[in-house]
Amino acid sequence: GGEDYEFDYDGGNSSSRLFERSRIRALADEREHVQKKTFTKWVNSHLVRLNCRVNDLYIDLRDGKLLIKLLEILSGERLPRPTKGKMRIHCLENVDKAL
């Protein structure tokens, strides 16, 4: 009866906390999406000089080759040539050159 109902019902606290947490997560995800889109546009505004473009920051900059090109554009300096190859070690080497 009534006792079971009172025991199960917590005044809405846990469900409202759950909603709040999921809302905060959604807002954080949205902010990350907007930042990624904004930074992608900024990167492309520079890479356009080399007729290059980035579609997905995380994928397209991962091998370090476009990152090196971007840094050359921004700094006006020549950086070491990127290492050829698609293996993880080659990607890490290129990112290291960019750093």
Side-chain angles (χ1 to χ4, degrees):
E3 289 173 9
D4 290 340
Y5 179 77
E6 286 176 35
F7 181 76
D8 290 341
Y9 184 66
D10 64 358
N13 287 338
S14 71
S15 59
S16 61
R17 275 198 306 269
L18 187 63
F19 173 77
E20 200 173 308
R21 274 199 302 270
S22 67
R23 185 79 189 114
I24 288 168
R25 179 77 252 148
L27 288 170
D29 289 346
E30 174 64 19
R31 194 178 83 217
E32 184 182 328
H33 173 74
V34 168
Q35 287 176 338
K36 185 180 178 186
K37 209 166 108 175
T38 303
F39 190 61
T40 300
K41 283 183 181 175
W42 179 82
V43 168
N44 284 331
S45 75
H46 293 286
L47 288 179
V48 74
R49 296 183 207 175
L50 299 176
N51 290 322
C52 294
R53 73 175 284 108
V54 164
N55 294 310
D56 186 314
L57 271 181
Y58 302 152
I59 293 169
D60 298 341
L61 295 183
R62 189 167 41 194
D63 69 2
K65 291 174 185 171
L66 278 179
L67 189 58
I68 289 173
K69 287 182 179 183
L70 175 65
L71 290 172
E72 286 181 336
I73 292 168
L74 295 173
S75 69
E77 295 174 22
R78 298 292 296 155
L79 292 171
R81 303 271 11 108
T83 305
K84 298 215 182 305
K86 289 284 181 194
M87 291 174 60
R88 188 167 189 268
I89 188 71
H90 301 132
C91 298
L92 291 172
E93 222 173 278
N94 288 331
V95 171
D96 190 56
K97 286 177 185 178
L99 295 175

